[in-house]
Amino acid sequence: MTLDQRRPAAALPRGPLAGFAAGSLGMGVWVTVPGLLLLYFLTDVLAVAPWLAGLTLLVPKIADVLLHPWIGHRCDVEQARRGHRRRLLLAGCALPLAFAALFAVPGELAGARAAAWVALFFVAGNLLFAAYQVPYLATPADLRIGYHERTRLMAFRMVVLTLGILISGLLAPLLAGGDTATRAGYLRMAALLAVGMLAAMVVGVAGIGRLRRTAAAPAPPHRAGGWATLAASLRDRQFRWLVGAYLAMSTTTHLVLAGVPYYAEYELGRPKLTTVLVAAFVAPALLVTPAWLAVARRVGKQSALLPGQVAFAVGALVLAVGRPAGLPVLVGAVAVLGVAFAGMQLLPFSMLPDVIRAADTDRAGTYTGVWTATEATGAALGPYAYALCLAAGGFVASAAGQAVTQSAGALTAIRYGFGLLPAALMVIAVLLQRRYTLDQAARADADG
């Protein structure tokens, strides 16, 4: 069976595409705000020691390694029994409640007790996020579309996801209070963003329904599921290498995101530059996503991804230089990272349904569950790795409004953790990604 036997004669209409993509606006808030502010919230507002703050973000994500594949299995069961995955999507729409609770730490809690509160609601939020994201990302594999159209579908998602990341990344630090962030400010920020999350996620559910009515693919014969299917997905060589490469990429980008507030405050000496750096990292994706789409159509997804990974590593090395490089150069380096980040979001996510179609499986949810578990693991490992850098350098945690002078070792750790470590991780991603060999065959089948 060829990879794209179910290829449609016409492209997907833009209306359903836009509706589907809207769901990513809400997910972008969850992906961005905890990754950007939660580590800083713990160490510089709740007075949680860096090593404990890192564990607070890491341990809940360990549960995701089991939760996401399990959600993927349930997602496939829903698809087989009901012909859709809507019930899980609707359950996931409770995510905004967990997001708001994450930052609603009672005033009497600090240190370890505050960390326990955050960890509890982080677990709840991750579970609800999985309930939405897994069936959401299984949608391209459920549709009667080919190699290039899957990239186009994910490009729509990428643009809207970027808007969610950009808007929440810019607004969250400002709503939290900027240079004088407080617990009340963080709660206000979370409540306001939660309202927008809910609206976007509901629109996304409706958009998926329209896409399925437009181009739902006939499902392959139903097979036995459960952990046997999970093991089969992990035996898929192409999937395994793609997942490994994406784990390194996800870890790298989330490390950079977690380091932005520290780099802005302690290396550049201006906390308000957090919004500037976030904008420089995210905004380029709005401009370059169509370019990544065009390059992928011309040379293939994997060939397009490689220069993006190399550019990310080079930009990270510039950031390791720090203040002597000059603010314009540093902001430019972050923008280079942003251009590469756009490709690293679009291309691997559009390669995933290629792998699922090549496997000719009715277990798209299981594959997607493993993928989202990988993304969640990277989202935890990145901040944890940066927290370990801070702890190794002797970084001192503080409560909101408390002034602390950091040592020279801590300042060096902030800079190198933001630059050298991401560059090294991206090299690992390149080495893993080059072992993935499906893309050439998938592209040849699409063009043939």
Side-chain angles (χ1 to χ4, degrees):
M1 178 177 290
T2 60
L3 295 171
D4 288 314
Q5 278 184 326
R6 301 177 181 88
R7 203 182 314 166
L12 294 170
R14 291 193 174 187
L17 277 174
F20 164 80
S24 285
L25 191 65
M27 289 192 293
V29 178
W30 178 259
V31 169
T32 305
V33 178
L36 176 65
L37 295 180
L38 200 52
L39 181 61
Y40 186 84
F41 178 60
L42 287 164
T43 61
D44 285 48
V45 176
L46 303 180
V48 179
W51 68 268
L52 179 57
L55 285 177
T56 302
L57 303 186
L58 177 64
V59 172
K61 292 292 186 178
I62 294 175
D64 288 347
V65 176
L66 296 176
L67 287 176
H68 281 243
W70 179 76
I71 290 289
H73 167 62
R74 296 307 311 168
C75 179
D76 287 333
V77 170
E78 289 286 305
Q79 171 75 358
R81 290 178 178 174
R82 304 176 186 277
H84 59 77
R85 311 175 194 267
R86 192 179 307 121
R87 292 207 310 176
L88 277 173
L89 285 162
L90 292 174
C93 287
L95 174 62
L97 295 176
F99 174 77
L102 192 63
F103 294 95
V105 182
E108 66 272 13
L109 299 184
R113 292 194 301 162
W117 174 283
V118 171
L120 174 64
F121 285 102
F122 207 24
V123 170
N126 288 333
L127 177 60
L128 293 169
F129 180 67
Y132 192 93
Q133 189 192 39
V134 171
Y136 181 88
L137 292 180
T139 299
D142 289 339
L143 301 178
R144 193 176 63 255
I145 56 178
Y147 175 88
H148 293 303
E149 192 64 11
R150 287 192 284 268
T151 312
R152 177 172 172 259
L153 173 62
M154 299 313 286
F156 268 74
R157 169 192 178 266
M158 178 60 198
V159 169
V160 178
L161 176 66
T162 301
L163 281 173
I165 294 173
L166 182 61
I167 292 171
S168 60
L170 294 179
L171 286 181
L174 296 176
L175 292 173
D179 291 349
T180 57
T182 62
R183 292 179 186 235
Y186 274 97
L187 177 57
R188 177 179 62 247
M189 172 273 297
L192 291 174
L193 291 181
V195 175
M197 287 177 68
L198 178 60
M201 294 171 75
V202 170
V203 172
V205 174
I208 289 173
R210 293 180 64 193
L211 278 180
R212 293 182 63 86
R213 289 192 294 273
T214 300
H222 185 64
R223 303 179 179 94
W227 295 111
T229 305
L230 173 61
S233 72
L234 295 176
R235 287 195 298 268
D236 186 328
R237 180 179 178 276
Q238 301 295 339
F239 182 59
R240 197 167 60 244
W241 286 118
L242 184 61
V243 161
Y246 187 67
L247 174 60
M249 286 184 276
S250 178
T251 301
T252 306
T253 54
H254 283 93
L255 186 156
V256 169
L257 196 62
V260 165
Y262 298 92
Y263 196 80
E265 178 171 352
Y266 296 105
E267 177 62 27
L268 303 181
R270 296 163 63 183
K272 287 185 177 179
L273 284 176
T274 295
T275 56
V276 175
L277 296 180
V278 170
F281 184 64
V282 177
L286 295 175
L287 302 175
V288 303
T289 294
W292 281 116
L293 180 60
V295 172
R297 182 175 290 274
R298 183 176 180 83
V299 304
K301 303 172 191 179
Q302 185 175 17
S303 296
L305 180 57
L306 179 59
Q309 294 168 319
V310 172
F312 193 101
V314 172
L317 290 175
V318 173
L319 292 170
V321 176
R323 194 179 308 176
L327 183 59
V329 172
L330 296 176
V331 173
V334 173
V336 170
L337 266 59
V339 171
F341 171 72
M344 291 189 296
Q345 284 291 299
L346 170 63
L347 300 172
F349 274 87
S350 61
M351 293 156 79
L352 172 63
D354 293 340
V355 173
I356 296 172
R357 280 300 185 188
D360 190 31
T361 177
D362 65 333
R363 297 297 176 181
T366 300
Y367 274 72
T368 306
V370 175
W371 182 269
T372 58
T374 301
E375 183 179 28
T377 302
L381 289 177
Y384 182 64
Y386 196 74
L388 288 181
C389 284
L390 297 181
F395 184 89
V396 178
S398 60
Q402 179 183 357
V404 173
T405 301
Q406 302 293 346
S407 67
L411 297 177
T412 299
I414 288 169
R415 185 173 69 255
Y416 285 175
F418 195 65
L420 293 182
L421 187 54
L425 289 171
M426 194 53 64
V427 171
I428 295 174
V430 171
L431 295 176
L432 292 171
Q433 179 243 318
R434 289 178 65 84
R435 303 295 299 272
Y436 172 81
T437 58
L438 176 66
D439 193 65
Q440 185 176 357
R443 186 184 176 218
D445 184 73
D447 292 339

